[in-house]
Amino acid sequence: MTNQGQYKLVFSIKVAFISVSIPLLLSQPIWAKECTQTEIRSRIEQFKDAKSAKVTVNAVVQCGEEAIAPLKQALSDNDSAIRVNTATTLGKMGAIARDATPSLSAALGDSDETVRTESASALIQIGRAVQNQEDSPWDAEAVKNLKTLQGNVADALKKLEADKRDWASKKKDIETLSRINNGLQSKLNDLEEKQTYQIVQWLKSNPWVWIVFGYAGVYLSIFAFRPTLLLK
């Protein structure tokens, strides 16, 4: 192969790699601030202080995904102020806090009315954020996560409806969460019915197809840059 042919081949591989990498990079959430677990836990402890709680909540929100695990633990803290502000924080984080929905659902059974109210509000905010975001049927993982979230929201709704206690926001929370649940289910159905999603699922269940594509890619590369090799 001539130097020019080698250059074209290397250039084509680089372009293909960049084409695949850029969408993956852009699909990842970007947060402006990095926080250590020690810093996050320290700030969560400051949720007890009513005067600084608002500022502290916003600071933890900016920590992004790193804060989810300690926040999930904080929902069972002995201090009700920490539990309340933890639920508030998760709600403000929106879709990125979807993994905390089972913990928020459990918090609906809290003995403190404000904790129950804020937990329901957080579930609503997270569900609404996911419902409004764009998900591609090509992204099988996103569809899977959506299905999990919808199941968690449905479970939370059942828990609220079965709770015999009454509080100020309960009726409205049930109505709103029911609409969110229906919206998530509708979005999930639409994605699963799209032909692109069905193609992705078929490719996942038939991995041998990628071997065929690999051989075809090699063959086409040789044909494009060194066709005489195919005649030998």
Side-chain angles (χ1 to χ4, degrees), residues 166-196:
D166 194 21
W167 57 91
S169 66
K170 181 181 178 182
K171 183 178 179 180
K172 184 178 180 181
D173 289 340
I174 289 176
E175 292 174 353
T176 307
L177 202 58
S178 179
R179 288 197 297 271
I180 294 294
N181 181 55
N182 292 337
L184 291 171
Q185 183 63 64
S186 178
K187 180 179 181 179
L188 180 61
N189 292 341
D190 289 343
L191 286 171
E192 290 182 333
E193 289 172 3
K194 290 185 181 298
Q195 189 174 14
T196 47

PDB file of all heavy atoms in Angstrom, residues 166-196:
ATOM      1  N   ASP A 166     -53.903  11.402  56.400  1.00  0.00           N
ATOM      2  CA  ASP A 166     -54.262  12.516  55.525  1.00  0.00           C
ATOM      3  C   ASP A 166     -53.388  13.716  55.866  1.00  0.00           C
ATOM      4  O   ASP A 166     -53.054  13.938  57.025  1.00  0.00           O
ATOM      5  CB  ASP A 166     -55.741  12.880  55.712  1.00  0.00           C
ATOM      6  CG  ASP A 166     -56.242  13.792  54.610  1.00  0.00           C
ATOM      7  OD1 ASP A 166     -55.611  13.814  53.533  1.00  0.00           O
ATOM      8  OD2 ASP A 166     -57.246  14.501  54.832  1.00  0.00           O
ATOM      9  N   TRP A 167     -52.987  14.465  54.837  1.00  0.00           N
ATOM     10  CA  TRP A 167     -52.228  15.698  55.052  1.00  0.00           C
ATOM     11  C   TRP A 167     -52.565  16.668  53.931  1.00  0.00           C
ATOM     12  O   TRP A 167     -53.181  16.286  52.908  1.00  0.00           O
ATOM     13  CB  TRP A 167     -50.732  15.432  55.140  1.00  0.00           C
ATOM     14  CG  TRP A 167     -50.090  14.745  53.965  1.00  0.00           C
ATOM     15  CD1 TRP A 167     -49.530  15.329  52.870  1.00  0.00           C
ATOM     16  CD2 TRP A 167     -49.932  13.334  53.779  1.00  0.00           C
ATOM     17  NE1 TRP A 167     -49.025  14.390  52.013  1.00  0.00           N
ATOM     18  CE2 TRP A 167     -49.255  13.146  52.555  1.00  0.00           C
ATOM     19  CE3 TRP A 167     -50.294  12.204  54.527  1.00  0.00           C
ATOM     20  CZ2 TRP A 167     -48.951  11.888  52.037  1.00  0.00           C
ATOM     21  CZ3 TRP A 167     -49.985  10.948  54.021  1.00  0.00           C
ATOM     22  CH2 TRP A 167     -49.309  10.801  52.802  1.00  0.00           C
ATOM     23  N   ALA A 168     -52.168  17.907  54.110  1.00  0.00           N
ATOM     24  CA  ALA A 168     -52.633  19.006  53.259  1.00  0.00           C
ATOM     25  C   ALA A 168     -52.461  18.758  51.766  1.00  0.00           C
ATOM     26  O   ALA A 168     -53.374  19.020  50.971  1.00  0.00           O
ATOM     27  CB  ALA A 168     -51.930  20.298  53.667  1.00  0.00           C
ATOM     28  N   SER A 169     -51.300  18.266  51.363  1.00  0.00           N
ATOM     29  CA  SER A 169     -50.998  18.154  49.924  1.00  0.00           C
ATOM     30  C   SER A 169     -51.275  16.763  49.342  1.00  0.00           C
ATOM     31  O   SER A 169     -51.045  16.551  48.149  1.00  0.00           O
ATOM     32  CB  SER A 169     -49.526  18.518  49.679  1.00  0.00           C
ATOM     33  OG  SER A 169     -48.678  17.549  50.285  1.00  0.00           O
ATOM     34  N   LYS A 170     -51.751  15.845  50.168  1.00  0.00           N
ATOM     35  CA  LYS A 170     -51.848  14.451  49.733  1.00  0.00           C
ATOM     36  C   LYS A 170     -52.710  14.277  48.473  1.00  0.00           C
ATOM     37  O   LYS A 170     -52.284  13.645  47.497  1.00  0.00           O
ATOM     38  CB  LYS A 170     -52.403  13.581  50.862  1.00  0.00           C
ATOM     39  CG  LYS A 170     -52.506  12.102  50.474  1.00  0.00           C
ATOM     40  CD  LYS A 170     -53.084  11.259  51.598  1.00  0.00           C
ATOM     41  CE  LYS A 170     -53.215   9.804  51.168  1.00  0.00           C
ATOM     42  NZ  LYS A 170     -53.814   8.976  52.241  1.00  0.00           N
ATOM     43  N   LYS A 171     -53.910  14.827  48.484  1.00  0.00           N
ATOM     44  CA  LYS A 171     -54.817  14.649  47.349  1.00  0.00           C
ATOM     45  C   LYS A 171     -54.216  15.209  46.058  1.00  0.00           C
ATOM     46  O   LYS A 171     -54.235  14.556  45.005  1.00  0.00           O
ATOM     47  CB  LYS A 171     -56.155  15.336  47.637  1.00  0.00           C
ATOM     48  CG  LYS A 171     -57.181  15.128  46.539  1.00  0.00           C
ATOM     49  CD  LYS A 171     -58.510  15.784  46.902  1.00  0.00           C
ATOM     50  CE  LYS A 171     -59.530  15.584  45.783  1.00  0.00           C
ATOM     51  NZ  LYS A 171     -60.844  16.226  46.128  1.00  0.00           N
ATOM     52  N   LYS A 172     -53.644  16.406  46.157  1.00  0.00           N
ATOM     53  CA  LYS A 172     -53.033  17.019  44.969  1.00  0.00           C
ATOM     54  C   LYS A 172     -51.816  16.231  44.501  1.00  0.00           C
ATOM     55  O   LYS A 172     -51.588  16.068  43.293  1.00  0.00           O
ATOM     56  CB  LYS A 172     -52.634  18.461  45.289  1.00  0.00           C
ATOM     57  CG  LYS A 172     -52.068  19.207  44.085  1.00  0.00           C
ATOM     58  CD  LYS A 172     -51.744  20.650  44.439  1.00  0.00           C
ATOM     59  CE  LYS A 172     -51.173  21.383  43.230  1.00  0.00           C
ATOM     60  NZ  LYS A 172     -50.827  22.799  43.551  1.00  0.00           N
ATOM     61  N   ASP A 173     -51.037  15.719  45.465  1.00  0.00           N
ATOM     62  CA  ASP A 173     -49.852  14.927  45.119  1.00  0.00           C
ATOM     63  C   ASP A 173     -50.250  13.664  44.357  1.00  0.00           C
ATOM     64  O   ASP A 173     -49.587  13.283  43.381  1.00  0.00           O
ATOM     65  CB  ASP A 173     -49.078  14.542  46.385  1.00  0.00           C
ATOM     66  CG  ASP A 173     -48.378  15.728  47.025  1.00  0.00           C
ATOM     67  OD1 ASP A 173     -48.168  16.733  46.317  1.00  0.00           O
ATOM     68  OD2 ASP A 173     -48.050  15.646  48.225  1.00  0.00           O
ATOM     69  N   ILE A 174     -51.305  13.020  44.800  1.00  0.00           N
ATOM     70  CA  ILE A 174     -51.780  11.799  44.131  1.00  0.00           C
ATOM     71  C   ILE A 174     -52.225  12.111  42.703  1.00  0.00           C
ATOM     72  O   ILE A 174     -51.880  11.385  41.760  1.00  0.00           O
ATOM     73  CB  ILE A 174     -52.933  11.156  44.929  1.00  0.00           C
ATOM     74  CG1 ILE A 174     -52.395  10.548  46.230  1.00  0.00           C
ATOM     75  CG2 ILE A 174     -53.638  10.084  44.099  1.00  0.00           C
ATOM     76  CD1 ILE A 174     -53.470   9.979  47.139  1.00  0.00           C
ATOM     77  N   GLU A 175     -52.970  13.196  42.547  1.00  0.00           N
ATOM     78  CA  GLU A 175     -53.448  13.576  41.213  1.00  0.00           C
ATOM     79  C   GLU A 175     -52.283  13.904  40.274  1.00  0.00           C
ATOM     80  O   GLU A 175     -52.257  13.453  39.114  1.00  0.00           O
ATOM     81  CB  GLU A 175     -54.380  14.785  41.326  1.00  0.00           C
ATOM     82  CG  GLU A 175     -55.704  14.482  42.025  1.00  0.00           C
ATOM     83  CD  GLU A 175     -56.525  15.738  42.247  1.00  0.00           C
ATOM     84  OE1 GLU A 175     -56.012  16.854  41.982  1.00  0.00           O
ATOM     85  OE2 GLU A 175     -57.690  15.612  42.681  1.00  0.00           O
ATOM     86  N   THR A 176     -51.323  14.682  40.777  1.00  0.00           N
ATOM     87  CA  THR A 176     -50.181  15.079  39.945  1.00  0.00           C
ATOM     88  C   THR A 176     -49.294  13.885  39.625  1.00  0.00           C
ATOM     89  O   THR A 176     -48.856  13.710  38.478  1.00  0.00           O
ATOM     90  CB  THR A 176     -49.340  16.164  40.657  1.00  0.00           C
ATOM     91  OG1 THR A 176     -50.182  17.242  41.039  1.00  0.00           O
ATOM     92  CG2 THR A 176     -48.253  16.682  39.731  1.00  0.00           C
ATOM     93  N   LEU A 177     -49.025  13.055  40.620  1.00  0.00           N
ATOM     94  CA  LEU A 177     -48.174  11.889  40.407  1.00  0.00           C
ATOM     95  C   LEU A 177     -48.844  10.902  39.450  1.00  0.00           C
ATOM     96  O   LEU A 177     -48.163  10.235  38.661  1.00  0.00           O
ATOM     97  CB  LEU A 177     -47.874  11.206  41.744  1.00  0.00           C
ATOM     98  CG  LEU A 177     -46.626  10.307  41.797  1.00  0.00           C
ATOM     99  CD1 LEU A 177     -45.387  11.104  41.418  1.00  0.00           C
ATOM    100  CD2 LEU A 177     -46.459   9.706  43.185  1.00  0.00           C
ATOM    101  N   SER A 178     -50.164  10.833  39.489  1.00  0.00           N
ATOM    102  CA  SER A 178     -50.891   9.967  38.564  1.00  0.00           C
ATOM    103  C   SER A 178     -50.712  10.451  37.128  1.00  0.00           C
ATOM    104  O   SER A 178     -50.505   9.638  36.206  1.00  0.00           O
ATOM    105  CB  SER A 178     -52.375   9.953  38.933  1.00  0.00           C
ATOM    106  OG  SER A 178     -53.110   9.133  38.039  1.00  0.00           O
ATOM    107  N   ARG A 179     -50.769  11.769  36.923  1.00  0.00           N
ATOM    108  CA  ARG A 179     -50.560  12.321  35.580  1.00  0.00           C
ATOM    109  C   ARG A 179     -49.126  12.070  35.108  1.00  0.00           C
ATOM    110  O   ARG A 179     -48.904  11.739  33.936  1.00  0.00           O
ATOM    111  CB  ARG A 179     -50.866  13.825  35.566  1.00  0.00           C
ATOM    112  CG  ARG A 179     -52.338  14.166  35.672  1.00  0.00           C
ATOM    113  CD  ARG A 179     -52.605  15.595  35.249  1.00  0.00           C
ATOM    114  NE  ARG A 179     -51.939  16.537  36.133  1.00  0.00           N
ATOM    115  CZ  ARG A 179     -52.471  17.037  37.242  1.00  0.00           C
ATOM    116  NH1 ARG A 179     -53.693  16.675  37.604  1.00  0.00           N
ATOM    117  NH2 ARG A 179     -51.816  17.911  37.983  1.00  0.00           N
ATOM    118  N   ILE A 180     -48.172  12.223  36.014  1.00  0.00           N
ATOM    119  CA  ILE A 180     -46.774  11.966  35.671  1.00  0.00           C
ATOM    120  C   ILE A 180     -46.584  10.501  35.289  1.00  0.00           C
ATOM    121  O   ILE A 180     -45.919  10.175  34.287  1.00  0.00           O
ATOM    122  CB  ILE A 180     -45.842  12.309  36.857  1.00  0.00           C
ATOM    123  CG1 ILE A 180     -45.873  13.813  37.147  1.00  0.00           C
ATOM    124  CG2 ILE A 180     -44.420  11.844  36.582  1.00  0.00           C
ATOM    125  CD1 ILE A 180     -45.311  14.681  36.055  1.00  0.00           C
ATOM    126  N   ASN A 181     -47.191   9.615  36.056  1.00  0.00           N
ATOM    127  CA  ASN A 181     -47.083   8.176  35.781  1.00  0.00           C
ATOM    128  C   ASN A 181     -47.656   7.840  34.406  1.00  0.00           C
ATOM    129  O   ASN A 181     -47.045   7.093  33.628  1.00  0.00           O
ATOM    130  CB  ASN A 181     -47.820   7.388  36.866  1.00  0.00           C
ATOM    131  CG  ASN A 181     -47.738   5.894  36.661  1.00  0.00           C
ATOM    132  OD1 ASN A 181     -46.656   5.321  36.542  1.00  0.00           O
ATOM    133  ND2 ASN A 181     -48.890   5.244  36.605  1.00  0.00           N
ATOM    134  N   ASN A 182     -48.821   8.397  34.097  1.00  0.00           N
ATOM    135  CA  ASN A 182     -49.440   8.160  32.785  1.00  0.00           C
ATOM    136  C   ASN A 182     -48.580   8.726  31.658  1.00  0.00           C
ATOM    137  O   ASN A 182     -48.458   8.115  30.586  1.00  0.00           O
ATOM    138  CB  ASN A 182     -50.834   8.796  32.738  1.00  0.00           C
ATOM    139  CG  ASN A 182     -51.825   8.103  33.667  1.00  0.00           C
ATOM    140  OD1 ASN A 182     -51.635   6.933  34.022  1.00  0.00           O
ATOM    141  ND2 ASN A 182     -52.861   8.806  34.072  1.00  0.00           N
ATOM    142  N   GLY A 183     -47.978   9.904  31.909  1.00  0.00           N
ATOM    143  CA  GLY A 183     -47.122  10.513  30.894  1.00  0.00           C
ATOM    144  C   GLY A 183     -45.877   9.688  30.633  1.00  0.00           C
ATOM    145  O   GLY A 183     -45.457   9.524  29.481  1.00  0.00           O
ATOM    146  N   LEU A 184     -45.277   9.142  31.689  1.00  0.00           N
ATOM    147  CA  LEU A 184     -44.091   8.298  31.533  1.00  0.00           C
ATOM    148  C   LEU A 184     -44.435   7.009  30.796  1.00  0.00           C
ATOM    149  O   LEU A 184     -43.664   6.545  29.943  1.00  0.00           O
ATOM    150  CB  LEU A 184     -43.485   7.975  32.904  1.00  0.00           C
ATOM    151  CG  LEU A 184     -42.829   9.138  33.653  1.00  0.00           C
ATOM    152  CD1 LEU A 184     -42.473   8.721  35.071  1.00  0.00           C
ATOM    153  CD2 LEU A 184     -41.592   9.627  32.914  1.00  0.00           C
ATOM    154  N   GLN A 185     -45.584   6.433  31.130  1.00  0.00           N
ATOM    155  CA  GLN A 185     -46.007   5.203  30.463  1.00  0.00           C
ATOM    156  C   GLN A 185     -46.266   5.449  28.976  1.00  0.00           C
ATOM    157  O   GLN A 185     -45.889   4.643  28.122  1.00  0.00           O
ATOM    158  CB  GLN A 185     -47.275   4.656  31.119  1.00  0.00           C
ATOM    159  CG  GLN A 185     -47.765   3.322  30.545  1.00  0.00           C
ATOM    160  CD  GLN A 185     -46.770   2.210  30.757  1.00  0.00           C
ATOM    161  OE1 GLN A 185     -46.478   1.825  31.884  1.00  0.00           O
ATOM    162  NE2 GLN A 185     -46.226   1.672  29.671  1.00  0.00           N
ATOM    163  N   SER A 186     -46.897   6.595  28.675  1.00  0.00           N
ATOM    164  CA  SER A 186     -47.166   6.950  27.281  1.00  0.00           C
ATOM    165  C   SER A 186     -45.865   7.156  26.504  1.00  0.00           C
ATOM    166  O   SER A 186     -45.723   6.686  25.361  1.00  0.00           O
ATOM    167  CB  SER A 186     -48.020   8.224  27.225  1.00  0.00           C
ATOM    168  OG  SER A 186     -48.251   8.625  25.890  1.00  0.00           O
ATOM    169  N   LYS A 187     -44.906   7.830  27.128  1.00  0.00           N
ATOM    170  CA  LYS A 187     -43.606   8.058  26.485  1.00  0.00           C
ATOM    171  C   LYS A 187     -42.892   6.733  26.249  1.00  0.00           C
ATOM    172  O   LYS A 187     -42.310   6.507  25.174  1.00  0.00           O
ATOM    173  CB  LYS A 187     -42.751   8.964  27.363  1.00  0.00           C
ATOM    174  CG  LYS A 187     -41.373   9.263  26.786  1.00  0.00           C
ATOM    175  CD  LYS A 187     -40.578  10.191  27.690  1.00  0.00           C
ATOM    176  CE  LYS A 187     -39.217  10.498  27.080  1.00  0.00           C
ATOM    177  NZ  LYS A 187     -38.421  11.428  27.912  1.00  0.00           N
ATOM    178  N   LEU A 188     -42.955   5.855  27.230  1.00  0.00           N
ATOM    179  CA  LEU A 188     -42.319   4.540  27.107  1.00  0.00           C
ATOM    180  C   LEU A 188     -42.943   3.736  25.975  1.00  0.00           C
ATOM    181  O   LEU A 188     -42.231   3.125  25.165  1.00  0.00           O
ATOM    182  CB  LEU A 188     -42.448   3.785  28.426  1.00  0.00           C
ATOM    183  CG  LEU A 188     -41.845   2.379  28.489  1.00  0.00           C
ATOM    184  CD1 LEU A 188     -40.333   2.435  28.244  1.00  0.00           C
ATOM    185  CD2 LEU A 188     -42.129   1.739  29.848  1.00  0.00           C
ATOM    186  N   ASN A 189     -44.268   3.755  25.896  1.00  0.00           N
ATOM    187  CA  ASN A 189     -44.961   3.024  24.827  1.00  0.00           C
ATOM    188  C   ASN A 189     -44.568   3.546  23.451  1.00  0.00           C
ATOM    189  O   ASN A 189     -44.340   2.768  22.516  1.00  0.00           O
ATOM    190  CB  ASN A 189     -46.476   3.134  25.008  1.00  0.00           C
ATOM    191  CG  ASN A 189     -46.974   2.385  26.235  1.00  0.00           C
ATOM    192  OD1 ASN A 189     -46.287   1.515  26.762  1.00  0.00           O
ATOM    193  ND2 ASN A 189     -48.165   2.732  26.698  1.00  0.00           N
ATOM    194  N   ASP A 190     -44.479   4.877  23.332  1.00  0.00           N
ATOM    195  CA  ASP A 190     -44.114   5.487  22.051  1.00  0.00           C
ATOM    196  C   ASP A 190     -42.711   5.065  21.618  1.00  0.00           C
ATOM    197  O   ASP A 190     -42.475   4.753  20.438  1.00  0.00           O
ATOM    198  CB  ASP A 190     -44.184   7.016  22.147  1.00  0.00           C
ATOM    199  CG  ASP A 190     -45.611   7.525  22.236  1.00  0.00           C
ATOM    200  OD1 ASP A 190     -46.532   6.754  21.903  1.00  0.00           O
ATOM    201  OD2 ASP A 190     -45.803   8.682  22.649  1.00  0.00           O
ATOM    202  N   LEU A 191     -41.780   5.064  22.572  1.00  0.00           N
ATOM    203  CA  LEU A 191     -40.396   4.692  22.249  1.00  0.00           C
ATOM    204  C   LEU A 191     -40.291   3.221  21.856  1.00  0.00           C
ATOM    205  O   LEU A 191     -39.596   2.866  20.896  1.00  0.00           O
ATOM    206  CB  LEU A 191     -39.482   4.973  23.441  1.00  0.00           C
ATOM    207  CG  LEU A 191     -39.163   6.446  23.712  1.00  0.00           C
ATOM    208  CD1 LEU A 191     -38.431   6.598  25.039  1.00  0.00           C
ATOM    209  CD2 LEU A 191     -38.318   7.032  22.586  1.00  0.00           C
ATOM    210  N   GLU A 192     -40.986   2.361  22.587  1.00  0.00           N
ATOM    211  CA  GLU A 192     -40.906   0.920  22.324  1.00  0.00           C
ATOM    212  C   GLU A 192     -41.584   0.536  21.016  1.00  0.00           C
ATOM    213  O   GLU A 192     -41.249  -0.495  20.413  1.00  0.00           O
ATOM    214  CB  GLU A 192     -41.523   0.140  23.482  1.00  0.00           C
ATOM    215  CG  GLU A 192     -40.699   0.191  24.757  1.00  0.00           C
ATOM    216  CD  GLU A 192     -41.282  -0.626  25.886  1.00  0.00           C
ATOM    217  OE1 GLU A 192     -42.523  -0.810  25.900  1.00  0.00           O
ATOM    218  OE2 GLU A 192     -40.521  -1.091  26.741  1.00  0.00           O
ATOM    219  N   GLU A 193     -42.527   1.354  20.571  1.00  0.00           N
ATOM    220  CA  GLU A 193     -43.226   1.059  19.324  1.00  0.00           C
ATOM    221  C   GLU A 193     -42.461   1.529  18.091  1.00  0.00           C
ATOM    222  O   GLU A 193     -42.772   1.120  16.970  1.00  0.00           O
ATOM    223  CB  GLU A 193     -44.617   1.706  19.341  1.00  0.00           C
ATOM    224  CG  GLU A 193     -45.583   1.016  20.307  1.00  0.00           C
ATOM    225  CD  GLU A 193     -46.886   1.773  20.449  1.00  0.00           C
ATOM    226  OE1 GLU A 193     -47.058   2.797  19.746  1.00  0.00           O
ATOM    227  OE2 GLU A 193     -47.736   1.337  21.247  1.00  0.00           O
ATOM    228  N   LYS A 194     -41.479   2.373  18.292  1.00  0.00           N
ATOM    229  CA  LYS A 194     -40.707   2.878  17.155  1.00  0.00           C
ATOM    230  C   LYS A 194     -39.853   1.760  16.560  1.00  0.00           C
ATOM    231  O   LYS A 194     -39.279   0.941  17.267  1.00  0.00           O
ATOM    232  CB  LYS A 194     -39.815   4.047  17.580  1.00  0.00           C
ATOM    233  CG  LYS A 194     -40.594   5.320  17.915  1.00  0.00           C
ATOM    234  CD  LYS A 194     -39.670   6.462  18.195  1.00  0.00           C
ATOM    235  CE  LYS A 194     -40.435   7.720  18.557  1.00  0.00           C
ATOM    236  NZ  LYS A 194     -41.324   8.204  17.481  1.00  0.00           N
ATOM    237  N   GLN A 195     -39.783   1.757  15.246  1.00  0.00           N
ATOM    238  CA  GLN A 195     -39.052   0.708  14.546  1.00  0.00           C
ATOM    239  C   GLN A 195     -37.568   0.723  14.902  1.00  0.00           C
ATOM    240  O   GLN A 195     -36.935  -0.328  14.984  1.00  0.00           O
ATOM    241  CB  GLN A 195     -39.229   0.874  13.030  1.00  0.00           C
ATOM    242  CG  GLN A 195     -38.692  -0.303  12.227  1.00  0.00           C
ATOM    243  CD  GLN A 195     -39.014  -0.174  10.748  1.00  0.00           C
ATOM    244  OE1 GLN A 195     -39.398   0.879  10.275  1.00  0.00           O
ATOM    245  NE2 GLN A 195     -38.859  -1.261  10.016  1.00  0.00           N
ATOM    246  N   THR A 196     -37.027   1.922  15.132  1.00  0.00           N
ATOM    247  CA  THR A 196     -35.604   2.018  15.476  1.00  0.00           C
ATOM    248  C   THR A 196     -35.300   1.275  16.778  1.00  0.00           C
ATOM    249  O   THR A 196     -34.275   0.594  16.879  1.00  0.00           O
ATOM    250  CB  THR A 196     -35.185   3.491  15.613  1.00  0.00           C
ATOM    251  OG1 THR A 196     -36.147   4.187  16.409  1.00  0.00           O
ATOM    252  CG2 THR A 196     -35.069   4.150  14.268  1.00  0.00           C
TER     253      THR A 196
END
